[in-house]
């Protein structure tokens, strides 16, 4: 039900949009294991820009894992995804 429908990209974009426009933040960072390309697709769809790869950042089950790092600034354009409705 969840995969392939864009829910995570919409959720990530909604939170990032709010924090960078109304929340007062100027920068957000997002990282994911390089062996999880679906997370990279979510990051890019949510308006994050890949800034690099941090080698051996995570230690998982005794093995060092590389992490792709993305950033988004308050000056970046809003992503082209429909945000979710925020309720306060």
């Amino acid at each position: 039900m969840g995969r392939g429908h864009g829910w995570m990209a919409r959720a990530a974009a909604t939170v990032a949009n709010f924090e960078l426009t109304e929340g007062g933040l100027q920068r957000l960072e997002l990282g994911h294991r390089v062996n999880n390309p679906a997370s990279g697709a979510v990051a890019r769809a949510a308006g994050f820009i890949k800034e690099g790869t941090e080698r051996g950042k995570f230690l998982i089950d005794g093995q060092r894992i590389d992490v792709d790092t993305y950033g988004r600034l308050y000056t970046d354009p809003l992503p082209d995804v429909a945000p979710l409705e925020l309720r306060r």
Side-chain angles (χ1 to χ4, degrees), residues 63-78:
Q63 185 177 29
R64 286 283 169 190
I65 304 293
D66 294 350
V67 173
D68 281 344
T69 301
Y70 294 74
R72 188 166 156 199
L73 304 176
Y74 75 102
T75 55
D76 290 342
L78 293 175

Side-chain angles (χ1 to χ4, degrees), residues 17-80:
N17 293 350
F18 177 82
E19 291 300 336
L20 293 169
T21 59
E22 298 181 41
L25 297 182
Q26 295 186 1
R27 177 181 170 80
L28 293 172
E29 291 182 6
L30 182 153
H32 71 85
R33 301 185 320 189
V34 297
N35 63 353
N36 186 351
S39 291
V42 167
R44 289 185 299 277
F48 287 80
I49 297 170
K50 184 174 177 183
E51 295 179 331
T53 300
E54 297 176 86
R55 299 177 299 138
K57 183 172 185 177
F58 291 162
L59 180 62
I60 300 175
D61 295 329
Q63 185 177 29
R64 286 283 169 190
I65 304 293
D66 294 350
V67 173
D68 281 344
T69 301
Y70 294 74
R72 188 166 156 199
L73 304 176
Y74 75 102
T75 55
D76 290 342
L78 293 175
D80 189 26

